[in-house]
Amino acid sequence: MLSFIARRVASGIVLVIAISVIAFALLYAGGGDIARRMLGEDASPETVAQKATELGLDQPLTQQFLTWASGLIRGDLGTSWFTSQPVSDAILSRLSVTLSLVFGAIVVVAFASVILGTLAATRRGWIDTAVQVLSLLATAIPAFLVALGLVLVFAVNLGWFKPTGYVQFTDSPAGWLSSITLPITALALGGIAGVTQQIRGSMIDSLRGDYVRTLRSRGLNAPSVLFQHVLRNAAGPGLAVLGVQFVGLIGGAVIIEQIFAIPGMGQVAVTATSQGDIPLVMGLVVVTAILVVILNLLVDLAQGWLNPKVRLS
C-alpha cells in the first residue's frame, strides 16, 4: 500500500510541475508588453523600462521561472502586481469559500448519485426511465442556466433564499447554509447526472454476475448482496467519474460565484485574468492543480481500498 501511495504522490508532483511550466510559459511568453499595459499608453519608454526591471521582466524567461519556482518551494507565490498583496494571502482568504462550495457539491453528488443509481439499477421500470431522462436533462442544461432558474424560483418568487451574497459559517451556520444551498444545487446537478449513470451501469453489470447468483444461492439476503458486494464493486467506477467531475466543478464554481456574488477564488481568477495580474493567475493555477492532485489521490486510495487489484495496476 505504501508503494501504491508513493507512486501516486510522485505522479502528482510531476503533474503539478508540468502544469506550472506550461502555464508559466503561456502566461509570460504570451503576455506581450506587460509593463506598458500596467502603466498605460501615456507612460514614457523610460518609465516602462524601469517598471519591467522592477517586475523582473527584463530577465530571460528561464531565469524568471527559476526565480518563481524557488519562491514556490519556500511557500512564496509572489506578490500581486496590482494590489501589492502576497498572492498566498489573496488566495487563502478566498480558498475556504470556494472549497465549501466545491466539496459541498461533491458530497451532494456522491449521496444523490448512489441513491438514484441504486434505485434505477434495482427497481428498473419507470423509475429507471425517469432517472435516465432527468440525467439527460441535467447534462444538457448548462449550470449557469440552472443557477438563474433557481434564483428566479426559490429566491425571487418564493423568497426562501437570498439571491446573492455569502455568509461565513462562523458568523451564522444557518445563514451559511442558506447562502450556499442554491449555488451547490446548481453546481451539483450536472455531476449527479454523470455519476448516477456510471453507478447505474456498473450495478446492472454486477447484478448479472455469477458471483451474485452464488451469493444468493448460499442464502445471503438481498440487502447484504446489494450493499456489501454489488454496491462496493460499482463504487470504484463511480469514484473515478467523481474524481473527473471535481475538475469540472472547480471550473463551474468560477461561473457560479459570479452569478451568486460569492467572494471565492472564481472572483479573484476573473479579476486577475482581466487585469493581466500574472503572479496571481499563476498562484491560482498551482493551487488548483494541487487540489486536483490531492482529491485524485484520495479517489485512488478509496479505489485501492475497495478493489485491491487497483493497487497492483
Side-chain angles (χ1 to χ4, degrees), residues 117-135:
T118 302
L119 285 174
T122 56
R123 299 300 177 88
R124 308 303 299 269
W126 70 269
I127 294 179
D128 187 20
T129 302
V131 168
Q132 293 197 60
V133 171
L134 292 175
S135 297

Side-chain angles (χ1 to χ4, degrees), residues 4-18:
F4 173 75
I5 295 174
R7 289 200 305 272
R8 291 296 187 270
V9 171
S11 62
I13 293 173
V14 171
L15 179 63
V16 172
I17 293 173

Side-chain angles (χ1 to χ4, degrees), residues 9-216:
V9 171
S11 62
I13 293 173
V14 171
L15 179 63
V16 172
I17 293 173
I19 291 174
S20 300
V21 171
I22 294 172
F24 194 93
L26 291 175
L27 289 171
Y28 278 84
D33 194 349
I34 299 171
R36 168 67 67 184
R37 285 193 281 116
M38 291 180 67
L39 297 174
E41 294 299 327
D42 296 334
S44 65
E46 293 77 14
T47 306
V48 172
Q50 183 180 359
K51 187 66 176 179
T53 303
E54 178 186 330
L55 298 176
L57 298 174
D58 57 336
Q59 300 294 320
L61 189 61
T62 306
Q63 182 60 44
Q64 292 182 50
F65 177 76
L66 291 176
T67 302
W68 176 83
S70 63
L72 176 64
I73 293 173
R74 299 192 306 271
D76 180 11
L77 292 172
T79 304
S80 168
W81 286 348
F82 288 85
T83 65
S84 299
Q85 183 184 19
V87 170
S88 55
D89 290 351
I91 294 176
L92 286 175
S93 64
R94 307 293 187 95
L95 184 61
S96 62
V97 178
T98 298
L99 288 183
S100 66
L101 189 63
V102 173
F103 281 104
I106 284 183
V107 171
V108 171
V109 168
F111 276 98
S113 299
V114 168
I115 293 172
L116 293 175
T118 302
L119 285 174
T122 56
R123 299 300 177 88
R124 308 303 299 269
W126 70 269
I127 294 179
D128 187 20
T129 302
V131 168
Q132 293 197 60
V133 171
L134 292 175
S135 297
L136 183 62
L137 289 174
T139 305
I141 302 175
F144 73 92
L145 285 181
V146 175
L148 294 175
L150 291 173
V151 169
L152 286 174
V153 174
F154 295 101
V156 177
N157 292 333
L158 299 177
W160 292 354
F161 302 95
K162 290 177 62 176
T164 58
Y166 179 79
V167 178
Q168 292 286 348
F169 180 83
T170 51
D171 295 337
S172 169
W176 170 79
L177 184 62
S178 177
S179 66
I180 66 168
T181 297
L182 294 184
I184 284 179
T185 303
L187 197 58
L189 280 181
I192 292 173
V195 180
T196 296
Q197 288 298 319
Q198 182 62 57
I199 291 177
R200 171 190 172 275
S202 298
M203 289 193 71
I204 290 175
D205 290 340
S206 295
L207 287 168
R208 292 171 178 166
D210 293 336
Y211 77 97
V212 173
R213 284 191 289 272
T214 302
L215 291 171
R216 287 172 175 166

Side-chain angles (χ1 to χ4, degrees), residues 278-312:
I278 294 178
L280 190 49
V281 175
M282 275 301 301
L284 290 166
V285 169
V286 171
V287 170
T288 303
I290 292 173
L291 288 176
V292 171
V293 166
I294 291 174
L295 186 89
N296 278 283
L297 175 63
L298 294 176
V299 169
D300 286 343
L301 291 175
Q303 286 183 309
W305 174 71
L306 290 169
N307 184 4
K309 292 180 180 177
V310 174
R311 299 200 293 266
L312 302 176

